[in-house]
Amino acid sequence: MKLKIAIACLAVLIVLISVIPSFRTSVLNSLSAIYASVLVSLTNQNRAAANIAELKINPLLEKAAQMKADDMASKSYFAHNTPEGKTPWYFVEQAGYKYIYAGENLAVNFENSEDVETAWMNSRGHFLNIMNPKFTEIGIATSTGIYKGRTAVFVVQMFGAPVK
């Protein structure tokens, strides 16, 4: 009897995932093992190892990162500039973040936070953003979409130094 109930529940879940796009997206997002809080912690661990001050989470940078991640996921692109030519700073400004310095790291097609951070640390440009002592704040977000014909998790890491 328990097996029949489990099979019925699985069948309902499969139907929901296949016919309701928003349900599919929320399920896929929850299956992603990429977590903003883990990425912030890993980023700050790398900075601390180099005696660089930790980054504080800023809700406006999180909003900017979410807008950019959602934009990439909804339009199936992976680039710092949008297909319409909008720069990363467009999203930062739309979120209402006033900055002196800002930076952006992107990742796609990773399955966990540790692999994302490792890839960023092994890429000179991403590494320089992570280790930039001018940055004092951070916001990270993920979004699930289609990239190159397959489901992908887009990761956006925004850095900033606010106007004082």
Side-chain angles (χ1 to χ4, degrees):
M1 181 65 166
K2 288 182 182 179
L3 181 59
K4 287 182 181 181
I5 292 172
I7 291 171
C9 288
L10 183 58
V12 168
L13 183 61
I14 290 169
V15 168
L16 287 172
I17 289 172
S18 64
V19 299
I20 304 173
S22 61
F23 184 79
R24 177 175 53 242
T25 299
S26 67
V27 168
L28 291 171
N29 279 340
S30 69
L31 295 176
S32 167
I34 300 171
Y35 301 104
S37 60
V38 173
L39 285 169
V40 170
S41 178
L42 293 169
T43 295
N44 279 330
Q45 287 173 24
N46 285 318
R47 288 172 65 93
N51 293 318
I52 301 169
E54 78 172 25
L55 299 165
K56 305 291 184 208
I57 296 171
N58 181 288
L60 295 176
L61 286 176
E62 287 178 320
K63 181 179 177 182
Q66 191 65 64
M67 288 189 303
K68 175 64 179 278
D70 290 345
D71 194 68
M72 288 192 299
S74 69
K75 297 176 184 170
S76 300
Y77 73 94
F78 178 67
H80 291 288
N81 292 344
T82 72
E84 301 82 23
K86 294 175 184 166
T87 68
W89 327 131
Y90 168 82
F91 296 97
V92 173
E93 291 162 4
Q94 288 296 302
Y97 187 78
K98 307 291 185 216
Y99 61 92
I100 300 170
Y101 301 106
E104 178 189 68
N105 284 347
L106 303 176
V108 69
N109 291 332
F110 287 88
E111 295 181 9
N112 65 64
S113 303
E114 292 78 9
D115 288 347
V116 172
E117 185 72 13
T118 297
W120 282 338
M121 291 300 287
N122 288 329
S123 163
R124 181 156 173 76
H126 297 100
F127 171 87
L128 291 173
N129 274 341
I130 289 169
M131 304 304 275
N132 188 335
K134 292 179 180 178
F135 295 140
T136 58
E137 298 179 334
I138 190 170
I140 300 176
T142 63
S143 191
T144 302
I146 302 297
Y147 182 63
K148 293 189 175 180
R150 62 180 256 227
T151 300
V153 177
F154 296 83
V155 184
V156 178
Q157 183 179 49
M158 294 285 194
F159 302 92
V163 171
K164 304 229 177 191

